[in-house]
Amino acid sequence: EVQLVESGGGLVQPGRSLRLSCAASGFTFDDYAMHWVRQAPGKGLEWVSGISWNSGNIGYADSVKGRFTISRDNAKNSLYLQMNSLKVEDTALYYCAKDTGIAAPPGDAFDIWGQGTMVTVSS
Amino acid sequence: DIQMTQSPSSLSASVGDRVTITCRASQSISSYLHWHQHKPGKAPKLLIYAASSLQGGVPSRFSGRGSGTDFTLTISSLQPEDFATYYCQQSYSTPITFGQGTKLEIK
């Protein structure tokens, strides 16, 4: 079964750091680009970051550039998001998503999504 | 950044109705437009990719049209399981952007 499972969310104070992980299974992980997308409470979907199959191409939303770092370990079939200098406005459900192509960002469509991991930034 | 504008923002309809949701891009995105369905507490689901191609396993009552700046998602005969929020998404350029969503509710 094709699956993405996020982990690492939680409650954190403003200014602190958190690292999200996404474990992939059921497909050849290093054949595809991957993304992080978030949804703040009561809001729509917002693309956060994307990474190509070999980490050679990486992109970020302006709202997280300089604070978040996306990475992947193809040997472990895993995607990561290191989040530093967290702000209250980073509070959201963070989804991992698989691209249908190899060379994102921007890439193609997101055909597989995880269930998400919740990040709450509050003092 | 490319802005994606959906209309309407919300829609009330009945089982069996035909509904159409519109998505407009602030500049031409060719056919780099995709539609997702999202239900509360669930992972989003890809319905349509490249403006008009039906994702595998998605019922044929869903269809997409358009290119350039104007796109539509049509559900030909609403079923109870179709009540959800629908998002368009462009992958023409970075940053990838989504429409604000269209919430489809039961009348």
Side-chain angles (χ1 to χ4, degrees), chain A residues 110-111 113, chain B residues 35-38 43-48 56-59:
Chain A
F110 304 163
D111 65 337
W113 297 70
Chain B
W35 290 96
H36 301 272
Q37 178 192 65
H38 194 197
K45 177 183 177 182
L46 177 66
L47 300 175
I48 302 285
V58 174

Side-chain angles (χ1 to χ4, degrees), chain A residues 35 37 39 43-47 59-62 93 95 99-100 104-115, chain B residues 1 32 34 36 38 41-46 48-50 55 87 89-100:
Chain A
H35 302 266
V37 176
Q39 184 176 35
K43 303 293 186 182
L45 300 174
E46 178 191 18
W47 178 78
Y60 298 96
D62 286 346
L93 185 61
Y95 294 101
D99 200 289
T100 55
D108 294 299
F110 304 163
D111 65 337
I112 304 296
W113 297 70
Q115 295 284 346
Chain B
D1 298 2
Y32 290 88
H34 321 292
H36 301 272
H38 194 197
K42 302 274 191 167
K45 177 183 177 182
L46 177 66
I48 302 285
Y49 63 94
Q55 175 69 355
Y87 293 92
Q89 172 231 326
Q90 67 82 16
S91 62
Y92 181 80
S93 67
T94 306
I96 293 166
T97 47
F98 290 86
Q100 81 277 16

Side-chain angles (χ1 to χ4, degrees), chain B residues 56-106:
Chain B
V58 174
S60 59
R61 63 180 180 272
F62 291 91
S63 64
R65 295 188 65 179
S67 67
T69 60
D70 295 316
F71 302 87
T72 59
L73 172 70
T74 297
I75 309 171
S76 60
S77 179
L78 274 173
Q79 298 302 301
E81 60 268 28
D82 299 337
F83 292 94
T85 300
Y86 293 84
Y87 293 92
C88 61
Q89 172 231 326
Q90 67 82 16
S91 62
Y92 181 80
S93 67
T94 306
I96 293 166
T97 47
F98 290 86
Q100 81 277 16
T102 295
K103 187 173 184 179
L104 181 52
E105 299 174 305
I106 301 174

